[in-house]
Amino acid sequence: MISVPLARPALDHAEVEEVRRVILSGWVTQGPEVEAFEAEFARFVGAPHACAVSSCTTALHVALAALGVGRSDEVVTVSHSFIATANAVRYTGATPVFVDVDPVNGNILPGAIEAAITPLTRAILVVHQLGMPCDLNAILPIAAAKGIPVVEDAACAIGSEIEVGGEWQRIGRPHGDICCFSFHPRKLLTTGDGGMLTTDSPELDRKFRLLRHHGMSVSDRERHGAREVVFEEYAVLGYNYRLTDVQAAIGRVQLRKLPEIVAKRRALAARYHDLFGRIREVGVPEEPRWARSNWQTYTVRLPSGTDQRRIMQRMLDAGIATRRGVMCAHREPAYRSEPWRCAEGPGRCGCAPGSCRLLANGERLQDGSIAVPMFHSMSEAEQRAVAAALEASLND
Ligand SMILES: *Cc1c(COP(=O)(O)O)cnc(C)c1O
């Protein structure tokens, strides 16, 4: 029996009451509640524009489509991420060009980006992995020098902060051209499923709104409020990527809880550092001095040569849920043939299917790290039980 789950969303009667109100209002999808959520979200992260969509995966697709990424283009990104990052590139018809990650925190190596850029590169898609900000201060000048837009996959990073010009700023202002968030239950703020795009650009924001709503020229709100008959038109190929008003109502309550949830998780992470730091040869995450994580997921690196599956099974036997660390898209069957390449070009790196020596840090993190339970309501006793179970499993 599981006594400590991996995650637990911070939902209670406050969300239930708001959902009730919206259902009884008679307007249940992309309406006033979505508009209010967008405005409050924009204010929270410090962004001029926020556009809600159905998930972070659809946010990433919309972001790339709005930048004009399409067939025969390339997008520089990481393989070491949730598979949705690379999939979003493929939805546009473009080829993901994978670069490696830092061996400790799993974020894109800024120094590896330039070698992956070609005349076909249309965007750089970076990830704030597990909530830890990537090094935007190093990445953005590289992109700017080449005139290539940057999309941030901030699926996990709501409430995380980065130091820019001596000031702490929330992820999502955005620092790149577009920032994408997820509201899946594994993330800090959940609406069941849901996502958000933020940008400085009114032009990009306008494109997001077209693409999420079938490319339709007028919104339902505008048509509903009009005094005269309005005929819509479909200007571009769009999608149904709408967030519902029911979900937005949940999101608004969650947003109010967020500062407290982030503070709680930072305290939990500090205690975990202390507990795991005492276990010989176990590696803990390291926060660069310019970054503050929201600790969406806490992973530990196992001693080299440890059988990851065996440790996870022992912990499960002790009632502690764990997951593998972040996986690598290029090792999955869906990426076995062709649809990606590394910086050396297809076939030229001499790698076997499912493995690439240029992506070795990510592969090692996938095989050698585990995510341990982390949720805002976690007790000290639960954290101690997790650390004790890991230590016992390693000594077993
Ligand atoms: C969770 C996650 C996604 C996908 O988010 P959804 O809202 O489930 O589509 C994308 N990228 C990363 C890095 C994630 O962790």
Side-chain angles (χ1 to χ4, degrees), residues 76-78 99-100 107-114 117 123-128 132-152 162 175-177 290:
V76 175
T77 189
V78 288
V99 298
D100 209 359
N107 269 328
I108 191 164
L109 287 170
I113 292 174
E114 200 148 353
I117 293 174
I124 299 171
L125 172 53
V126 300
V127 183
H128 302 296
M132 186 70 78
C134 66
D135 193 355
L136 291 170
N137 288 307
I139 295 164
L140 296 178
I142 297 170
K146 303 266 183 186
I148 301 171
V150 173
V151 177
E152 301 168 58
I162 187 164
H175 297 91
D177 294 80
W290 43 263

Side-chain angles (χ1 to χ4, degrees), residues 55-57 81-82 84-85 127 129 153 155-156 182 184 187 194:
S55 71
C56 185
T57 306
S81 182
F82 183 57
T85 309
V127 183
Q129 199 52 260
D153 178 343
C156 301
S182 170
H184 179 271
K187 323 295 185 188

Side-chain angles (χ1 to χ4, degrees), residues 147-318:
I148 301 171
V150 173
V151 177
E152 301 168 58
D153 178 343
C156 301
I158 180 75
S160 298
E161 291 156 287
I162 187 164
E163 199 178 8
V164 178
E167 183 190 74
W168 286 101
Q169 300 180 349
R170 287 202 172 112
I171 293 296
R173 286 173 82 86
H175 297 91
D177 294 80
I178 304 170
C179 193
C180 301
F181 293 90
S182 170
F183 307 138
H184 179 271
R186 275 290 301 277
K187 323 295 185 188
L188 264 67
L189 184 163
T190 188
T191 60
D193 262 309
M196 192 75 80
L197 298 116
T198 60
T199 184
D200 286 336
S201 158
E203 184 56 22
L204 284 173
D205 185 64
R206 197 185 58 77
K207 287 185 183 168
F208 302 159
R209 289 167 197 281
L210 269 180
L211 291 168
R212 73 173 173 179
H213 191 47
H214 306 287
M216 189 170 152
S217 59
V218 282
S219 73
D220 287 333
R221 281 273 272 170
E222 283 161 355
R223 192 160 54 172
H224 187 75
R227 306 279 306 259
E228 286 169 18
V229 172
V230 179
F231 283 3
E232 74 279 24
E233 91 181 347
Y234 299 87
V236 295
L237 174 66
Y239 308 91
N240 174 0
Y241 287 169
R242 289 185 299 260
L243 190 76
T244 69
D245 264 29
V246 179
Q247 291 168 303
I250 300 173
R252 296 180 69 192
V253 180
Q254 290 269 290
L255 196 56
R256 292 199 283 277
K257 293 179 177 175
L258 197 62
E260 196 188 314
I261 291 172
V262 172
K264 189 73 208 289
R265 294 178 87 99
R266 287 183 176 154
L268 291 168
R271 189 184 288 134
Y272 260 161
H273 289 336
D274 184 40
L275 289 168
F276 290 124
R278 291 184 215 162
I279 308 176
R280 241 169 51 105
E281 289 184 73
V282 164
V284 295
E286 285 168 25
E287 209 168 39
R289 58 174 169 69
W290 43 263
R292 285 182 189 152
S293 181
N294 63 0
W295 299 105
Q296 186 261 333
T297 295
Y298 192 98
T299 56
V300 294
R301 282 166 285 119
L302 301 172
S304 65
T306 307
D307 181 346
Q308 180 192 43
R309 184 186 289 267
R310 190 184 68 88
I311 298 298
M312 291 174 68
Q313 186 62 52
R314 289 286 150 86
M315 292 187 71
L316 188 59
D317 295 342

